[in-house]
Amino acid sequence: MFSIDQILAITFTLFAVIDIVGSIPVLVSLKEKLGHIDAGKATLASGFLMILFLLVGEPFLKILSVDVHSFAVAGSIVIFVIGLEMILGVEFFKSEKDAKAGSVVPIAFPLIAGSGTLTTIMSLKANFTAYNILAGILLNLVIVYIVLRCLNYIERLLGKAGLMVVRKFFGVILLAIAVKIFKSNINL
């Protein structure tokens, strides 16, 4: 049933795809916009989406007549816009100043449980049991929660100048990730 080797492989795969550490500049920027990020709500919402996609992801997309590639392209566009915001300092995402809503969109989805994460979860089903994938998801959610709870500390540690440099750098990285997801899922 449970395999430590499988759980570790799944956990590391999802950790790389979720990239919560690389998302810190985006999260800090969104926290400044929203005033507060509810770490528990964001973690629960992203966990709900990941588990939902583990159980019914492909059938749900089929009902909507949306293939996995189209879903990934749509998610890449949202990630691209967030990257542009970070680099250019222009606000495309207009929040309603509601931290509860902001903790779900765009933090839980598409930042944490984005198209890359959700398609990866569906892909993992080909090689691993659902129980092991669920364990890997839960371990990643613990990491996500810890990072979200420590944002204030991380922000103080880096300072304004450090955050600006890291935000611009990771903005470019986010753009590159968005282009890669877009390119690998578009049929030209």
Side-chain angles (χ1 to χ4, degrees), residues 5-82:
D5 290 341
Q6 282 192 13
I7 292 170
L8 287 175
I10 293 163
T11 300
F12 287 123
T13 301
L14 286 175
F15 182 78
V17 173
I18 293 170
D19 192 24
I20 191 67
V21 175
S23 297
I24 288 172
V26 179
L27 293 167
V28 168
S29 176
L30 289 169
K31 185 180 78 62
E32 287 173 3
K33 251 193 248 185
L34 300 169
H36 171 73
I37 292 174
D38 186 335
K41 186 170 189 138
T43 303
L44 287 174
S46 58
F48 173 77
L49 287 170
M50 287 187 236
I51 293 168
L52 183 68
F53 257 72
L54 172 64
L55 301 175
V56 295
E58 277 188 80
F60 177 70
L61 291 178
K62 284 181 184 175
I63 288 171
L64 298 174
S65 298
V66 175
D67 62 285
V68 173
H69 298 292
S70 299
F71 183 76
V73 168
S76 74
I77 292 169
V78 173
I79 292 168
F80 188 85
V81 169
I82 292 171

Side-chain angles (χ1 to χ4, degrees), residues 167-184:
R167 185 177 296 131
K168 302 285 185 199
F169 174 75
F170 278 103
V172 173
I173 299 296
L174 217 52
L175 289 176
I177 290 169
V179 169
K180 180 181 177 188
I181 293 170
F182 187 88
K183 195 169 95 175
S184 66

Side-chain angles (χ1 to χ4, degrees), residues 78-96:
V78 173
I79 292 168
F80 188 85
V81 169
I82 292 171
L84 281 178
E85 276 190 342
M86 292 173 66
I87 293 170
L88 302 176
V90 176
E91 186 175 355
F92 296 110
F93 169 70
K94 304 286 186 203
S95 68
E96 297 186 25

